[in-house]
Amino acid sequence: MFRWILFIVIFLVADFYAFQAFRTVTKNNILHILYWLITLSVLGNFVYQFYGFSRSDGFSHTHGYAVGALIAVMVPFIFLVGMMFLEDVFRVPQAIYRYFTVGEAAKGDYFASRRQFISKLALGIAAIPFASIVYGIIKGRYNYKVLKYTMYYEDLPEAFDGYKLTQISDIHSGSFDDIDKVEYAVDLINEQASDVILFTGDMVNNKAEELLPYKSVFGKLKAKDGLYSILGNHDYGDYVNWPSGAAKKQNLENLKTIQKEIGFNMLLNDTKFLEKNGERIALVGVENWGVGGFKQAGDLKKAARNVQANDFKILMSHDPTHWEKQVVQDDYHYHLTLSGHTHGMQFGIEIPGWFRWSPSKWRYKHWAGIYENKGQFINVNRGFGYLAFPGRVGIWPEITVIELKKGIAPA
């Protein structure tokens, strides 16, 4: 209760402080009332949705939109409050000085004009993240991007020179609310005409039933050498308050069954050899393994029990911390690891080839894209779906296409 009271008090104080900029720019009382109706409605809805909320009860679309609306309001608040506070840091000492050194008329004119200028500037700057977040909720979460990479390996079997794989990750089907947009993305995946499609975990948020409305949609996925999948931390149902252990176990079995009906071959600490012209590559799939309190069911040794040291190896492991903590140090050389999990935190700034930033980097060393260590590579997919915040800002949903080439990468 105390945390809720503290949160509401801080929100209202920040809201009132930010309102000063709005009130300086416009004297229209109708707009003032509208301002408070919007912000108080956002706050009230958030409190209503989450007071007494337990993650084990499930996260609905209404919860997601409550989070999205709060973020859309609070991020501009931060900009507004920050700029107004900085102005006051300079303004208050100057006000004291001018009180004793200039006349009343000059004091009034000076501060009124200066406050109005800063208020307009602060509102203009705050409008940028506000518009970005609104766009991210309305359009960004379905703004699918196909990212293509060419990976060179001297020891790639000759038969697999030019072999293409498509990776998708973190579908989180329970978050979707527009089946047409998901169908578009599935068509986009099929258009890549890859040899194999690999899904690296988190098919649902919590329950297998979330996937049922999209079963026929994902059932359209096609690849010559098949579809393969692994489990992510959300797929086990660990975040649900199940009536019994048996119910939780049955949910996982149901998810496995639905995935198989879609056409996925699940690799649960196991290996599938992809063969071509008498040569092969090992496709190794582990169950979830991650640091930071996440399930560690992945068993790399068990998964690779039938793999030879000289096999070319592609590893599917949901959490990129597994690569950092175990895979790179393993006796076997894993040429390419495919992960997801981070979502790139669904927020950031990316200028391809120039700049990439997301708050995700503060938690994950490897949070998006290609990384290399000891001659081994990992691709961290930014995710196909979204979770909690019902949007994406700057970090768009990703379909990864990787072409394997034999030889040395050009300089």
Side-chain angles (χ1 to χ4, degrees):
M1 173 63 76
F2 173 75
R3 287 183 297 177
W4 276 105
I5 294 174
L6 181 63
F7 167 73
I8 293 170
V9 169
I10 292 174
F11 182 96
L12 291 176
V13 169
D15 195 6
F16 180 78
Y17 196 62
F19 175 69
Q20 304 312 306
F22 189 76
R23 186 172 63 177
T24 301
V25 171
T26 177
K27 305 301 182 183
N28 190 313
N29 289 330
I30 295 178
L31 293 179
H32 294 173
I33 293 172
L34 184 62
Y35 174 96
W36 284 108
L37 283 176
I38 292 174
T39 57
L40 292 179
S41 295
V42 168
L43 175 63
N45 183 52
F46 183 82
V47 173
Y48 173 76
Q49 294 292 338
F50 285 95
Y51 184 75
F53 170 79
S54 171
R55 185 176 181 179
S56 63
D57 295 330
F59 196 89
S60 67
H61 287 142
T62 55
H63 288 115
Y65 285 119
V67 170
L70 187 74
I71 291 175
V73 167
M74 288 199 68
V75 172
F77 272 8
I78 294 172
F79 284 88
L80 276 173
V81 170
M83 291 192 67
M84 300 299 287
F85 178 77
L86 285 175
E87 190 219 6
D88 284 342
V89 167
F90 292 99
R91 195 168 75 106
V92 171
Q94 289 182 5
I96 296 172
Y97 172 77
R98 292 180 68 84
Y99 180 82
F100 293 103
T101 59
V102 301
E104 292 294 328
K107 284 186 288 187
D109 292 343
Y110 173 78
F111 288 112
S113 61
R114 186 159 185 262
R115 169 63 84 172
Q116 189 173 68
F117 170 75
I118 295 297
S119 296
K120 288 180 178 179
L121 180 63
L123 285 169
I125 293 175
I128 297 173
F130 177 77
S132 299
I133 293 168
V134 171
Y135 175 84
I137 294 172
I138 297 174
K139 295 287 187 180
R141 56 190 167 144
Y142 295 119
N143 186 25
Y144 298 100
K145 300 296 182 183
V146 177
L147 301 186
K148 297 184 178 183
Y149 303 97
T150 301
M151 307 288 292
Y152 289 84
Y153 299 92
E154 292 184 75
D155 57 347
L156 178 72
E158 190 75 39
F160 288 89
D161 186 24
Y163 195 80
K164 284 205 311 182
L165 60 89
T166 289
Q167 180 198 4
I168 53 176
S169 192
D170 299 86
I171 285 176
H172 289 285
S173 52
S175 297
F176 293 138
D177 59 4
D178 192 330
I179 196 168
D180 291 336
K181 296 294 178 58
V182 180
E183 286 182 337
Y184 162 76
V186 168
D187 290 340
L188 194 58
I189 293 170
N190 286 334
E191 285 176 11
Q192 307 313 310
S194 290
D195 296 287
V196 67
I197 294 175
L198 307 176
F199 172 69
T200 48
D202 277 3
M203 184 68 78
V204 297
N205 293 340
N206 294 298
K207 298 181 178 180
E209 64 191 45
E210 299 168 18
L211 184 55
L212 290 175
Y214 300 93
K215 178 181 173 181
S216 61
V217 177
F218 289 112
K220 297 177 182 178
L221 289 170
K222 302 295 179 186
K224 178 173 62 67
D225 290 341
L227 287 62
Y228 295 88
S229 67
I230 58 172
L231 295 172
N233 56 296
H234 279 267
D235 294 323
Y236 295 91
D238 288 343
Y239 310 124
V240 175
N241 186 20
W242 297 99
S244 66
K248 179 181 178 181
K249 183 178 179 180
Q250 185 59 53
N251 175 73
L252 181 56
E253 292 305 312
N254 291 344
L255 179 60
K256 293 177 183 178
T257 298
I258 297 171
Q259 287 204 42
K260 290 177 181 177
E261 290 173 349
I262 288 173
F264 283 104
N265 300 286
M266 300 198 71
L267 297 177
L268 306 176
N269 293 327
D270 204 355
T271 294
K272 167 69 177 180
F273 290 100
L274 302 175
E275 299 182 355
K276 189 175 182 182
N277 298 337
E279 296 182 302
R280 72 180 191 178
I281 59 177
L283 181 61
V284 184
V286 295
E287 294 196 47
N288 192 81
W289 194 102
V291 300
F294 293 105
K295 181 181 287 292
Q296 297 186 343
D299 188 332
L300 191 58
K301 297 297 185 184
K302 179 181 178 182
R305 60 191 179 277
N306 296 319
V307 177
Q308 302 298 315
N310 62 346
D311 281 323
F312 187 92
K313 307 169 196 69
I314 297 175
L315 174 65
M316 301 167 64
S317 180
H318 178 69
D319 193 318
T321 60
H322 186 215
W323 185 72
E324 176 187 352
K325 299 297 183 181
Q326 289 193 348
V327 177
V328 172
Q329 286 76 32
D330 192 82
D331 293 336
Y332 277 179
H333 179 92
Y334 286 88
H335 298 75
L336 175 62
T337 297
L338 304 175
S339 298
H341 182 62
T342 73
H343 298 209
M345 210 166 280
Q346 297 169 212
F347 176 83
I349 301 171
E350 288 196 83
I351 303 174
W354 289 88
F355 181 77
R356 182 176 64 184
W357 177 88
S358 165
S360 187
K361 68 177 296 182
W362 296 332
R363 180 167 184 180
Y364 295 99
K365 183 177 180 180
H366 311 102
W367 60 273
I370 302 283
Y371 301 87
E372 183 270 338
N373 191 352
K374 297 181 179 179
Q376 302 173 81
F377 294 86
I378 184 173
N379 178 62
V380 184
N381 184 285
R382 293 159 181 79
F384 183 92
Y386 52 91
L387 181 68
F389 172 59
R392 283 179 174 266
V393 180
I395 304 294
W396 311 119
E398 176 180 344
I399 298 165
T400 310
V401 178
I402 297 176
E403 182 178 10
L404 305 177
K405 295 292 290 182
K406 185 175 181 63
I408 301 174

